[in-house]
Amino acid sequence: MNAYIIVEGSRTEMKVYPRWLEIIAPRLQRVKHLSEIKDYNYYLFSGGGIPSIYNHIANAAEDIIDFNLKGNGRIDYLLVCIDTEEESREYILEQIYQELNQRKIVLQDLRLEVFEQKVSMESWFLANRKIFKTNPEDDVLRKYIRHYNVREKDPEMMENIDENLFSTKAQFHHAYLKKIFAERHICYSKSNPSEVCNDDYLKQIIKRYLETGHVCSFGRWYNFAITNFR
């Protein structure tokens, strides 16, 4: 079982997904080049954001079809991990298949799986209840909690607090997460998401999903990974 994985961003996802896969699917090994794929391998590529990721998905499909035809190995899955931000899963799927159809790409028996990060990957990170302080010292964080308590409510469903402060929900979710970490004297940034890469942090997100059904888009990715790659 092999996979070609395209993630939207070039920073957070490129660090977090390999680490999480090491934890929950250690049998699956990353390769640096497509030609190195043999068995239980994956190749990871950044799509460089929206809208360029849609073109890269089509390019990847063509590369995989060509790779499989050569017969030196086989890639079973093309996996796409992408933020929904202000859009829906249905809209994202429409954009992907529109690009594939315009280029007349037929996937044949290649399985395309799209994992939306609703609203963003930071929305998933907000699901860790263990790191959340119920009575923080920071006034801004207190304001965020009054707006929407992510310890009790599903982080994926959180609306923007103020469009004059944050132009998108994803920006607000990111700011909220940074405040939660700062309360614990931890620095978080998209280029340095090291805290969320550790074993316990991932276990807390899994626990939240299993106990509450929250962050269901994370749950879909997690269930796929443990079903197909363990």
Side-chain angles (χ1 to χ4, degrees):
M1 191 70 67
N2 299 308
Y4 188 126
I5 305 174
I6 297 183
V7 297
E8 180 185 332
S10 61
R11 295 178 292 172
T12 310
E13 294 96 329
M14 293 294 285
K15 291 180 172 66
V16 176
Y17 276 116
R19 178 60 187 135
W20 281 6
L21 286 170
E22 282 180 17
I23 295 168
I24 65 174
R27 185 181 179 188
L28 191 68
Q29 298 294 308
R30 182 180 179 183
V31 297
K32 292 184 178 179
H33 304 285
L34 210 60
S35 59
E36 297 173 357
I37 283 184
K38 298 195 182 305
D39 192 28
Y40 274 87
N41 295 135
Y42 74 95
Y43 174 71
L44 183 67
F45 182 82
S46 169
I50 295 173
S52 65
I53 189 172
Y54 297 121
N55 180 57
H56 286 301
I57 292 168
N59 290 341
E62 290 181 328
D63 290 343
I64 294 167
I65 291 167
D66 182 62
F67 177 85
N68 288 347
L69 285 172
K70 288 178 180 177
N72 296 323
R74 174 160 193 84
I75 298 172
D76 306 280
Y77 292 102
L78 172 56
L79 309 180
V80 178
C81 303
I82 183 171
D83 291 347
T84 61
E85 296 202 10
E86 309 299 310
E87 304 297 347
S88 65
R89 172 179 173 82
E90 290 71 26
Y91 173 83
I92 289 167
L93 290 173
E94 181 181 337
Q95 297 305 302
I96 291 172
Y97 282 103
Q98 181 175 298
E99 184 73 26
L100 293 173
N101 291 335
Q102 284 180 348
R103 292 170 56 170
K104 296 180 172 58
I105 297 171
V106 179
L107 296 177
Q108 300 171 359
D109 56 352
L110 171 64
R111 290 186 59 182
L112 170 64
E113 296 283 348
V114 178
F115 300 99
E116 73 277 18
Q117 297 157 177
K118 184 181 176 182
V119 169
S120 65
M121 206 171 198
E122 279 78 19
S123 309
W124 291 0
F125 303 157
L126 286 168
N128 182 344
R129 293 174 293 193
K130 190 175 179 180
I131 203 167
F132 185 95
K133 271 193 177 181
T134 306
N135 295 303
E137 296 178 3
D138 187 273
D139 289 338
V140 175
L141 181 53
R142 286 176 179 270
K143 180 181 177 181
Y144 291 171
I145 294 170
R146 286 194 299 270
H147 167 72
Y148 194 96
N149 188 329
V150 293
R151 191 180 192 281
E152 298 175 356
K153 300 177 182 178
D154 189 346
E156 289 185 340
M157 305 306 292
M158 181 168 65
E159 295 293 337
N160 198 344
I161 189 171
D162 188 340
E163 292 183 359
N164 293 318
L165 293 174
F166 305 102
S167 59
T168 66
K169 287 188 286 188
Q171 288 180 5
F172 173 50
H173 288 206
H174 179 257
Y176 200 144
L177 182 72
K178 288 188 71 171
K179 285 292 184 182
I180 287 175
F181 276 119
E183 194 70 22
R184 297 283 187 181
H185 307 290
I186 301 169
C187 180
Y188 172 85
S189 68
K190 286 184 175 292
S191 58
N192 181 28
S194 55
E195 183 69 21
V196 303
C197 293
N198 68 51
D199 195 324
D200 186 61
Y201 203 100
L202 174 59
K203 284 180 179 177
Q204 291 299 319
I205 300 175
I206 295 169
K207 183 179 180 182
R208 176 75 174 272
Y209 163 70
L210 293 176
E211 290 181 352
T212 68
H214 293 173
V215 288
C216 63
S217 66
F218 165 81
R220 185 170 176 272
W221 173 82
Y222 169 70
N223 286 327
F224 179 90
I226 63 173
T227 300
N228 293 280
F229 298 138
R230 270 188 175 172

